[in-house]
Amino acid sequence: MMDLNLLISGVIFGLSMGSIFFLMTIGLSLCFGLMRIISLDQLLYYSVGGYITYSLGLYTGNVWIGAIGGIAVAAVVAFLIERFVFLRIYAREITFSMITSFGLLIGGIGVIKAIWGNVPRPVPVPMDAQMSIIGTEVPVYRFAVVVLALLVYAGIWAFLNKTIIGKAIRAGIENVEHVEGLGINVGRLFTLTFIIAGALSGLAGGLHAPLIMVYPDMGLEVLAFAFMVVIIGGLGSIHGTFVSAFLVGQVVSIGSLIYAPLAQMAPFAIMLLILLVKPTGLFGSQLLKR
């Protein structure tokens, strides 16, 4: 029987990991939902966020300032890539965007290696306090990560449902042609969505950096988990991404406590089972062309 303290630690770890999964994949869902592209380069912005957090945190002595800088730099990089690359391929097939974005991810890793080298870099935890849950000491920082992810989800929901721009984006997710017919500049919506997606991916990297050492392939190594999260939740579904991220986080965490290889195997098994029952994922809709 699993020790209670170990189980509690595993659940908290799973919640924080699910939060990171959500933040690193919400950009993928937003980009697919509105633009019908598969933006694997979001994992490049995740890596950029982590490295800027490391560098700026080291320079200022404050990891939180580093994380804010990581968000800003990731957003700028996302804007430039959207302007110079994706603007030219929106009309192409979905598979073309997937191949292009994967190439951007690989190329970005090369740039990261040229700037920071291959050696993993440790990032200090900005909150080293512990709190007790039923006699189990757990890091406060992991709770902070969960709270920030919940705030981001609430913020995205409010933005998409309560603001004029957000409603336009939401309408575009449902029917781009209808939005264009209303005279709304869809190109600007695309750019804004891409910047928001990149910033959130950068936030994921910045928050994850203190829990791991930043290293060039960090984005590439979470690629499989990112795919699982968006496929299980349903491509283009914000709510589905949220639910799926926390589900995968718990499966990875608890699975590793039961039997280490389960951390890799169990999420794939769940994904295959869900796709057999519901091919579009838990909350996804039929694959549509833009």
Side-chain angles (χ1 to χ4, degrees), residues 30-150:
L30 283 171
C31 289
F32 178 82
L34 178 62
M35 296 172 269
R36 296 295 185 246
I37 61 171
I38 298 179
S39 178
L40 300 181
D41 53 307
Q42 295 300 321
L43 299 177
L44 171 60
Y45 314 138
Y46 157 80
S47 300
V48 168
Y51 268 98
I52 296 299
T53 298
Y54 159 75
S55 296
L56 197 54
L58 188 66
Y59 179 75
T60 63
N62 190 317
V63 175
W64 292 117
I65 293 177
I68 294 172
I71 295 170
V73 173
V76 171
V77 173
F79 169 72
L80 293 175
I81 287 179
E82 193 273 343
R83 290 288 87 187
F84 290 101
V85 179
F86 282 99
L87 186 62
R88 292 165 170 76
I89 65 171
Y90 282 138
R92 306 289 289 271
E93 294 294 325
I94 290 176
T95 51
F96 190 85
S97 68
M98 182 172 67
I99 294 170
T100 301
S101 61
F102 184 72
L104 288 168
L105 174 59
I106 298 300
I109 290 174
V111 174
I112 287 173
K113 289 180 179 179
I115 297 174
W116 284 281
N118 292 314
V119 179
R121 309 297 180 94
V123 179
V125 178
M127 304 169 65
D128 57 2
Q130 303 277 322
M131 66 182 296
S132 179
I133 298 180
I134 317 178
T136 303
E137 295 293 320
V138 295
V140 172
Y141 179 70
R142 288 193 178 273
F143 279 102
V145 170
V146 176
V147 170
L148 285 171
L150 294 176

